[in-house]
Amino acid sequence: MTFKSYAGGDHPEWNISVTPQYMFNNALKMDFERRLGKTDWIGISGDYYLGPINQDNSANGPNSTLVRYNTTHQDDYIRGEGITIDDKWFFSQGFFIGFGYGYEKLGIDYQDNTWVPTQQNGLTYYHFTLTNGKLNINRNDGFFGFGYAGKPLSGIHVDWFLGGGYRTVNSSSSLGIGYRDYTRTTFDFQYPGIHPIFTMTVGYMF
């Protein structure tokens, strides 16, 4: 299969694409790109998360007692959205330098065992029960890397991008800290600091 670069030429001027690997995190990401010059494209993308996660309790924190008491509970459920702005500068036929910034606001609903207070006859009692909680995550991410863009078919394009980023994360939990820990791998939702990036996008140009 022969790939042709879309770096130069008089057209196309627009590009709409999706990033398939986001579906592994129950998310959809769509990219919209506009040509600014012969070798420069600017893009904006939006992503939307919706679906169950943490089916194997791998993200349970040190305060979680779900496994200890073999508690039957619902899977964690994520909702959220994000926006990314990026730029591609083509320095050779098909090859480009890419950089940008992204922000995501995520919410993860979960259940865990906690001590819940109740009032009876003027006295406060605590009982240990399954409680609904929510983990709120705000992520800022700057990234830089190199990629290749090709056109295997007329109008269809495929991009590969390899690079790295630096992420800052602010989190808060309605039940307090220690019930969920999504920091164990560089691909987890709460992972801060330096992380690798590898993406493939597929789209249509016009």
Side-chain angles (χ1 to χ4, degrees), residues 162-180:
L162 179 64
Y166 185 83
R167 179 185 299 134
T168 61
V169 180
N170 292 313
S171 304
S172 63
S173 177
S174 62
L175 298 184
I177 63 173
Y179 288 96
R180 289 296 183 273

Side-chain angles (χ1 to χ4, degrees), residues 134-155:
K134 186 168 186 177
L135 176 64
N136 295 302
I137 304 171
N138 291 278
R139 312 197 306 180
N140 295 274
D141 204 342
F143 58 89
F144 176 86
F146 298 88
Y148 178 80
K151 293 175 61 178
L153 298 171
S154 177

Side-chain angles (χ1 to χ4, degrees), residues 3 6 8 25 29 38-39 50 55 60-61 64 66-68 78 81 114 130 135 144-145 154 166 181 188 200:
F3 283 78
Y6 67 83
N25 280 333
K29 182 177 183 180
K38 185 176 180 181
T39 60
L50 184 66
Q55 299 181 13
N60 291 350
S64 176
L66 294 175
V67 176
R68 185 186 311 168
I78 189 170
E81 55 278 328
T114 60
L130 192 65
L135 176 64
F144 176 86
S154 177
Y166 185 83
D181 181 11
D188 277 351
M200 181 189 73

Side-chain angles (χ1 to χ4, degrees), residues 34-130:
R34 175 74 164 94
R35 180 198 292 271
L36 295 182
K38 185 176 180 181
T39 60
D40 191 26
W41 288 72
I42 191 170
I44 184 170
S45 61
D47 50 72
Y48 183 70
Y49 292 80
L50 184 66
I53 54 175
N54 188 30
Q55 299 181 13
D56 59 357
N57 295 309
S58 62
N60 291 350
N63 289 344
S64 176
T65 59
L66 294 175
V67 176
R68 185 186 311 168
Y69 294 102
N70 195 28
T71 304
T72 300
H73 64 286
Q74 297 178 358
D75 293 331
D76 292 3
Y77 199 92
I78 189 170
R79 296 178 177 86
E81 55 278 328
I83 187 171
T84 301
I85 299 174
D86 64 89
D87 189 88
K88 293 177 181 177
W89 179 73
F90 287 85
F91 60 90
S92 182
Q93 187 73 8
F95 295 93
F96 64 87
I97 295 173
F99 58 91
Y101 164 80
Y103 170 77
E104 289 182 325
K105 182 177 182 180
L106 309 176
I108 298 178
D109 297 316
Y110 65 92
Q111 293 183 324
D112 217 307
N113 298 311
T114 60
W115 291 99
V116 178
T118 58
Q119 297 286 333
Q120 293 183 8
N121 300 321
L123 298 175
T124 301
Y125 296 88
Y126 290 85
H127 61 283
F128 195 62
T129 186
L130 192 65

